Structure formats: structure tokens, C-alpha cells
Amino acid sequence: MTAAAALLGEELPLIQKLRQAVEGALEGKQDAVELSLVALLARGHLLIEDVPGVGKTTLARALARAVGGELRRVQFTSDLLPSDVVGVSVYDQRTAEFVLRQGPVFANVLLADEINRASPRTQSALLEAMNEQQVSIDGQTIPLPDPFFVIATQNPQDFAGTFPLPESQLDRFLLRLRIGYPPPQVEMRLLLDGHSDTARDVPVILDPAQLVGLQRQVDRISIDNALLSYLQALVQATRSSPALSLGTSTRGAMALGKAARARALLRGRTYCIADDIHDLAVPVLSHRVRLATHADGFVPSRDEAESAVRDIIARVPVPL
């Protein structure tokens, strides 16, 4: 029996309970929950682009509670400084030494709310944290907690006073998703209950150390050469498409492969199938491309970018 197969026998019930716990806090949004867990298991980060009040904070709180991790939230504003995120060294007169005062980035789950309202300098403070799981303060490199998961949000309807994330920052997010409005029956139940704090009832399913163990198992999920060729063909198609002026990078291709493995594990398989790559291509690749029809500085809508990537995917044959 392979290590991955043994994992499914021992840990699959735990994975299923984790999924059910988060879905219980965000009813009717199974797809959004699955994508969030894919990002979490793949050691990636998540960008949620949606209007206020649809459950972004609820999702972050539910994930943090389910994995027994610490959640911290930062409301990004135009006057937020990098030190407000990563921390700062302060002088302690009693000891005559500088002492590190850790910022909210020192958490298992960081909710960066409306990240595009902060200045580029503050946005870039997250780059090292997201990519290297460490921060540098006054020349000192400090590791972040493990696991470390960033959920960033931005409002796709209001661009006044915002600073669009550059490609270098967008590329740090494993995938982008939209939660959307709840189904009518779920919304009616929330109206009857009179409260929307569904995350408070989420049980602790595993601890951070167990989550790290599951994240390590993602690399053991197999993906054969035919599927890797299909993945590469999708990426190459984004680079040669006349609809795009910027295609997917090699890092984007590797992100799609990692996400496909995480989805296979989440669905109880020790191997990837074509659907893992096909179904994740849009949320993983659409924020990593630039439309050819838009000038620099113009922010295309999520729908435009996804439609262009979806058209490209439809032209690439899926392996049988």
C-alpha cells in the first residue's frame, strides 16, 4: 500500500469532517468552500473578490476554527503602514533594548480585508510573508507560524481610492473566487434566526500540526505525464492567445498542478484526473493573465478575465 493510499484510510474521515464543518457555516456554498480548502491544503493563499456582506469573514473564521488556528483580521486602508501589518521594534526603557512587537501577520489565518485600499508599499509588506512564510523587521528575519494562510478580499464594484494589485502580488494568490449571494432558502433561514454568526458554532476538527501533516501529503498525490502535458498545453494557450497580452507564468502552471493535487486529496483520491485541472484552471489562472484589449492601469472585471480564460480552455483538448 502506498503512503498516499494509507493516508486515505487514516485521514479521509478527518478531511470529510473538516469540509462538512466549514460548509455548515457557509450553507449553500459548497464550491466556494471546496476552493478555499484546496488553497489551504496546497499551502497557497486565497483572494476573494466579492461585494460586502456575503460571508467572506464568516468563511475565514470558520476555516480558522475548524483547524484550531489563530485568526487575525486587518482592515486595509490608505493610511495603513507596513509596520501595522508585520510589526515593529520598539525601545523598552526598562531593559534598554529593542523589543519586537509582532503585527497581525503572526497568525495561522490572516484576513486582509479590502487589500486594494492600502498603498502599494503596504501591500508589498505581505509579499515576503506570503511567498517565504517569514518577515524581515529591522534586518532580522522572523519565521511566521505554520500553517500560515492569507485570505484577502476586495470589492469588485468600487475602485475609488483603491490601488489595484500588481501582477507580482496577484501571482502570490493560489486562486481567486467569488462567494456570491446565498440561496433563497438559506437567506430566509438567516433572516428568521436574526443573526449571521454561523462561524461560532464550527467545531475544532484538527489542530495546526495535523493540518501541516495533510498539507505535506498533497505532494504525494500522483499526476501522470498525460495530465501534465494537458496542464502545460493550457498554460501555453494563454501565452499564445491574441485575447491576452500576458499569459500564465511557470509559477502559475506549478500552482495549477499543486491545486489539482489538493483537490484530489480533498475528494478522497490518491491521483489526479483531468477534471481536477480543467475545473481549477479558471480560478487559478484568470487573475494571472492580462487582457490585450485593456490599457495599462485599467482594471478589467473578473468576468472579462474569466471569460477569456474559459474560451481558451475550451479549445484545448482534454485527455481521455
Side-chain angles (χ1 to χ4, degrees):
M1 179 181 292
T2 65
L7 166 76
L8 292 184
E10 299 173 1
E11 306 294 347
L12 183 56
L14 200 61
I15 296 174
Q16 292 173 338
K17 288 181 180 179
L18 175 63
R19 181 170 185 160
Q20 291 169 359
V22 181
E23 287 180 350
L26 209 66
E27 291 185 74
K29 294 298 176 181
Q30 291 85 356
D31 291 343
V33 170
E34 180 176 69
L35 290 175
S36 303
L37 290 175
V38 164
L40 180 63
L41 290 176
R43 284 184 174 271
H45 303 288
L46 180 65
L47 177 62
I48 304 178
E49 193 172 272
D50 215 329
V51 297
V54 294
K56 299 186 292 292
T57 302
T58 298
L59 176 60
R61 291 181 59 202
L63 285 170
R65 283 185 60 86
V67 301
E70 180 183 7
L71 169 70
R72 292 191 180 182
R73 177 181 177 273
V74 180
Q75 179 65 51
F76 278 65
T77 57
S78 58
D79 59 348
L80 192 73
L81 299 176
S83 58
D84 295 327
V85 179
V86 301
V88 64
S89 293
V90 296
Y91 184 72
D92 189 337
Q93 293 183 343
R94 293 175 300 177
T95 62
E97 295 178 347
F98 282 93
V99 179
L100 173 64
R101 182 173 295 169
Q102 295 183 347
V105 74
F106 287 87
N108 298 119
V109 180
L110 174 67
L111 176 59
D113 217 352
E114 294 189 295
I115 189 174
N116 58 333
R117 293 200 176 279
S119 67
R121 181 185 177 192
T122 302
Q123 292 174 4
S124 65
L126 279 178
L127 280 177
E128 182 183 13
M130 295 170 67
N131 201 48
E132 306 293 338
Q133 202 168 327
Q134 65 182 28
V135 294
S136 297
I137 302 175
D138 293 339
Q140 181 181 4
T141 300
I142 307 167
L144 295 174
D146 195 16
F148 175 66
F149 183 47
V150 174
I151 301 177
T153 74
Q154 56 183 11
N155 185 346
Q157 302 297 327
D158 185 8
F159 294 112
T162 64
F163 301 88
L165 297 177
E167 283 82 5
S168 60
Q169 182 103 1
L170 287 171
D171 201 38
R172 263 63 177 186
F173 291 99
L174 182 71
L175 50 82
R176 177 179 63 176
L177 64 82
R178 174 169 44 196
I179 295 177
Y181 296 114
Q185 65 274 18
V186 174
E187 191 169 42
M188 178 60 72
R189 187 156 54 250
L190 292 173
L191 292 173
L192 291 172
D193 291 342
H195 67 84
S196 58
D197 190 11
T198 54
R200 66 181 181 183
D201 298 325
V202 173
V204 177
I205 305 300
L206 62 161
D207 58 40
Q210 289 175 302
L211 174 59
V212 171
L214 290 177
Q215 291 174 332
R216 290 172 178 165
Q217 297 298 334
V218 170
D219 292 331
R220 300 185 180 184
I221 302 299
S222 64
I223 178 169
D224 62 34
N225 289 337
L227 293 181
L228 289 176
S229 297
Y230 172 57
L231 189 157
Q232 187 179 41
L234 289 176
V235 171
Q236 291 287 356
T238 67
R239 299 169 182 169
S240 59
S241 171
L244 303 178
S245 62
L246 178 68
T248 304
S249 66
T250 301
R251 181 160 52 194
M254 295 174 67
L256 181 54
K258 191 71 174 284
R261 288 183 170 93
R263 185 180 189 253
L265 177 62
L266 190 61
R267 294 199 169 192
R269 286 184 270 106
T270 62
Y271 55 89
C272 290
I273 60 176
D275 283 349
D276 293 327
I277 297 172
H278 180 275
D279 296 346
L280 290 173
V282 169
V284 173
L285 303 183
S286 63
H287 60 287
R288 290 182 161 93
V289 300
R290 182 189 298 166
L291 298 179
T293 55
H294 290 134
D296 289 341
F298 184 87
V299 182
S301 72
R302 169 199 168 107
D303 291 337
E304 289 177 293
E306 289 191 351
S307 178
V309 173
R310 194 173 286 110
D311 290 342
I312 292 170
I313 295 170
R315 294 196 293 269
V316 179
V318 179
L320 300 177

